[in-house]
Amino acid sequence: MDNGVGFFGVLGLVMLSTLFSIGGGNGQVAMIQGQWVSNGLLDPALFAWAFALGHFTPGPKVSFVTAIGYYMAGIPGAIAAMIGIVIPTSLGASLASHWYQRFQRIINHVSISASMVIAGMMSTAAIGLAQPLDPSWIELTGIALVTFLVVWRRPDPVLIVLGSGVVGAVVWFAGSALSG
Amino acid sequence: MNSTEPGNLSAKTTEAAGPVVPATPVTLLSLGLVFLKMGALTFGGMWAAISRIEADLVHKRGWISADTQRAMMITAALIPAPKFLAFGGMVGYRLRGFPGSVVSLVCLMIPGSLLVLAGAMLLRQGAEGTLLAAVQHSITLGIVGLLLGNAANMAQSSRLKGWRLFAGIFIAVMIPLMTLVFGVPLLVMALLGLVSGAIVIRPEQESDDHG
């Protein structure tokens, strides 16, 4: 975990990334991928595992940032990630409740383009996550199939994660059997 | 305007405004316990948990009305924060002000975060060639597909049409292009996208009114 990020590094990025979570867009994924995964500070597999954990566990899916914080800076990093989510969210929720009518016009205005911006950010995260893996054409086909399935049927993400894991295990066992 | 009218989002969302003193006083402890339970027993995010939330907050405890709950959920999806947590924070604020907001969303987050932390501590990166590494590799590829699919669904949810759709797609494509090919920081591109989108893609009714 000697990556020079530390408690305040985790706190700062998670707080900033929370601002890109309009409509459940999960801007954190893109921000963390862009800042830590693409810079080699966090392994793509650990990043993906943390993201998967957020879908396997109860409550808000954003709890995956706790695992990211842990991977970056140990237990203090996990605590920093939680604080980084709680502070801006509690402020935003309170302000939205208190001054909703005053902010309604601005929120409505920004939220129209926000979904496209977040779509772009998620695409960036996806491509950035795949790049270091250097996927083969078979793996690229698999990615395309999953993308199509998600758009077509919108399955529970847990099924995608479980299914991908099973495929990986089957391929590994098949490879071991063939080589052994 | 009838706030219970189906599809009347503006009427529903205005109900989220302002802190309201509930008929029955709610302590921070009881607020925390309710959200702790909600955080431990709900799966699939805020919209998936809507029935359970309504059963607990509306029917069992009477802390908020069903209309208020829906208004808060819609508002939570519009503000820049994770929506389930934002909803918890809004309910907490409505019942106990800012301390209630903090308590409710901390308690909502704790169960899942502890389980995620346990999972992260148990499983580290698998050594190359092991079963664990193979599974992690394929899960990563699956998540790449999931993110791309979610990005497409997110773009579809904007319900833009005509030149607004074209402008939106242009913004969505420019972000990965400029970030991954030309090395422009993602944050810069995201902010540029939000600002340019707010200027170019105006709300339909307002834009139509001005020709």
Side-chain angles (χ1 to χ4, degrees), chain A residues 18-21 23 25 30 43 48-49 57-59 66-67 71 85 94 97-98 100 109 112 115 119-120 122 124 139 147 150 164 168 172, chain B residues 17-18 39-40 42 75 77 80-81 85 93 98 113 123-125 129-130 137-138 140 142-143 145 150-151 153-154 158 172 176 186 190 198 203:
Chain A
T18 302
L19 299 175
F20 291 92
S21 303
D43 189 88
W49 173 240
T57 50
T66 314
Y71 288 138
I85 290 287
S94 300
S97 296
H98 199 80
Y100 182 78
H109 207 110
I112 294 170
S115 51
M122 288 167 85
T124 309
E139 290 173 332
T147 305
V150 171
S164 306
W172 185 84
Chain B
T42 54
T75 309
L85 285 176
Y93 181 83
F98 187 68
S113 291
L123 192 61
R124 306 285 304 181
Q125 194 176 351
T130 61
H137 180 80
S138 60
T140 308
I143 285 172
N150 282 344
N153 289 336
M154 178 62 83
S158 69
L186 179 66

Side-chain angles (χ1 to χ4, degrees), chain B residues 3 21 29 45 49 52 76 93 95 126 137 190 206:
Chain B
S3 66
V21 180
L29 179 65
R52 181 181 282 273
Y93 181 83
L95 297 172
H137 180 80
E206 181 186 330

Side-chain angles (χ1 to χ4, degrees), chain A residues 20-81:
Chain A
F20 291 92
S21 303
I22 298 174
N26 238 329
Q28 284 97 353
V29 177
M31 293 290 288
I32 291 166
Q33 195 283 328
Q35 200 67 28
W36 290 334
V37 180
S38 63
N39 288 341
L41 297 175
L42 177 64
D43 189 88
L46 289 183
F47 175 70
W49 173 240
F51 187 72
L53 281 171
H55 284 89
F56 281 130
T57 50
K61 284 174 255 179
V62 73
S63 57
F64 84 93
V65 296
T66 314
I68 300 285
Y70 174 75
Y71 288 138
M72 296 307 294
I75 296 291
I79 294 168

